Amino acid sequence: MGGDRSAAADHDRLSAALLVRAVGAGGGPAPGASTRAFLDEWVFGVVNSGFIVQGLALGALFALYAGDRWDHLWRGALRHLPYSPTAPALRVTAVAASLTALVPGTPHLLRATGSTSGLNTTRIAERTGDFYALEAVYGLFVVVAVAVAGALLLAFGRRSAMPLPVPPALAWGGSAATACWGGWLSLSAC
């Protein structure tokens, strides 16, 4: 059980480390951190790069499919959407969903800026540039998913010239990343 958490923590760090190290900001292990890796580092680079390519390809293919299937619904801007008699209820729901998104998003954004709340002493000692990048990405997914791009733009952006596909695409991508990553971390913690 403890080994699984350590392996998941190693995987988390190394996943975000690909991008951080590509720009030269990652760095090695923190002082006092274990130097024993779960797998050789090249494995994470190869496997995660493959998953990134696969995810981008599936997203692009879905976008092409959605364009063929529902093109007539994606045309125009937010201001061209018809008035809905349920608009006030949708706005209340959008604000409630945005406030709910603050629950998982706030700890990630706090940790990305250096907070240690909710972390055990081992995890605090192992923080590197990779850790901060990963936490910032988690927070970004939550913000993009619900609070800004998705629900609020659709609920309150009726006068906007923003193309209609942008808010649903951001909400779809951000919420999928948040839900899938949270599900993976929940399963790997068992």
Side-chain angles (χ1 to χ4, degrees), residues 99-135:
L99 294 174
T100 303
L102 293 176
V103 174
T106 300
H108 290 300
L109 292 175
L110 287 173
R111 289 181 194 144
T113 59
S115 174
T116 59
S117 65
L119 299 175
N120 62 30
T121 55
T122 305
R123 192 72 170 139
I124 291 170
E126 294 178 343
R127 291 179 302 164
T128 63
D130 302 337
F131 171 85
Y132 295 113
L134 183 65
E135 290 296 329

Side-chain angles (χ1 to χ4, degrees), residues 18-159:
L18 289 175
L19 179 60
V20 173
R21 289 183 186 161
V23 297
S34 171
T35 57
R36 181 176 171 255
F38 173 62
L39 289 173
D40 288 333
E41 195 168 326
W42 70 268
V43 174
F44 288 103
V46 171
V47 172
N48 288 342
S49 298
F51 283 138
I52 289 168
V53 169
Q54 180 183 15
L56 292 173
L58 287 172
L61 290 171
F62 178 77
L64 291 172
Y65 170 75
D68 286 346
R69 174 84 189 229
W70 300 296
D71 185 46
H72 63 285
L73 297 174
W74 297 103
R75 293 184 189 155
L78 286 176
R79 67 174 167 233
H80 297 133
L81 289 174
Y83 174 77
S84 171
T86 60
L90 293 174
R91 288 185 178 134
V92 169
T93 304
V95 170
S98 298
L99 294 174
T100 303
L102 293 176
V103 174
T106 300
H108 290 300
L109 292 175
L110 287 173
R111 289 181 194 144
T113 59
S115 174
T116 59
S117 65
L119 299 175
N120 62 30
T121 55
T122 305
R123 192 72 170 139
I124 291 170
E126 294 178 343
R127 291 179 302 164
T128 63
D130 302 337
F131 171 85
Y132 295 113
L134 183 65
E135 290 296 329
V137 169
Y138 289 152
L140 177 67
F141 282 144
V142 172
V143 169
V144 167
V146 181
V148 177
L152 294 178
L153 280 174
L154 284 173
F156 295 101
R158 296 295 180 150
R159 295 184 182 164

